[in-house]
Amino acid sequence: MAKPIKVIEKIELTEEQKKMQSLENLLSGVAENKDSLLETLSLIQELHDSGILDAFGSLLKAKEKAAKIAVGQLTREPVTNMINNAMAAGGMLTELDPETTGKLAKSLTHGLKKAEQGLKEDSKIGLLDLMKALKDPDINRAIGFGFNLLKGMGEGLKE
């Protein structure tokens, strides 16, 4: 019967052997990814030729100063107001029905085209024209929409 193994010998690699193994792994990785590495080198060369690489390097060297400037610009009142307004507008848009919003946008576009045609005609509108216009179902619908919009806004402002 064979003797049981009692001691496991750990093979210690020398520094030279470790370097050689790392170099072999690196060469193997380069060989496997030749196309992507060449493309990356080409991209880096383009960045260098255009001066973007130098600018980016300078920005990294001055990262603390650049960060202070960026934070200073972002904390200015107009910028924070813009961010807060964008967030409020985004919140408002999440509450609206997309179908209604699309219909309203399409109607607004159509209305702007009609208004532009009216400007080109440059005709005067009298009191009698206004009375006739109220009988037009399209105008009446738009005025009703406007009144309901104003009513809803007023109710919202009351809260």
Side-chain angles (χ1 to χ4, degrees), residues 7-9 16 38 45 47 73 79 88 107-108 133 138 147:
V7 177
I8 299 175
E9 290 183 32
E16 184 75 23
L38 289 174
Q45 186 61 45
L47 290 172
Q73 291 298 314
V79 176
S107 300
L108 181 63
D138 294 329
F147 281 152

Side-chain angles (χ1 to χ4, degrees), residues 85-102:
N85 286 333
M87 288 173 55
M92 181 187 73
L93 288 174
T94 60
E95 294 179 19
L96 296 176
D97 177 28
E99 194 173 307
T100 303
T101 307

Side-chain angles (χ1 to χ4, degrees), residues 72-85:
Q73 291 298 314
L74 288 174
T75 56
R76 290 182 21 240
E77 188 175 347
V79 176
T80 56
N81 285 345
M82 180 188 66
I83 292 170
N84 289 335
N85 286 333

Side-chain angles (χ1 to χ4, degrees), residues 3-71:
K3 288 184 177 177
I5 300 173
K6 294 182 179 176
V7 177
I8 299 175
E9 290 183 32
K10 185 175 180 183
I11 300 173
E12 291 284 330
L13 296 177
T14 65
E15 276 301 313
E16 184 75 23
Q17 289 172 327
K18 286 180 185 178
K19 286 181 183 177
M20 287 301 290
Q21 193 173 17
S22 292
L23 190 56
E24 287 174 14
N25 289 340
L26 183 62
L27 286 174
S28 173
V30 168
E32 289 174 12
N33 299 296
K34 176 188 138 210
D35 293 337
S36 59
L37 286 172
L38 289 174
E39 196 171 318
T40 303
L41 287 173
S42 174
L43 178 64
I44 290 173
Q45 186 61 45
E46 288 293 326
L47 290 172
H48 175 72
D49 292 345
S50 66
I52 293 174
L53 201 57
D54 290 335
F56 191 65
S58 298
L59 181 64
L60 284 175
K61 287 177 186 171
K63 62 185 168 246
E64 284 185 31
K65 290 180 184 177
K68 284 180 184 177
I69 291 169
V71 169

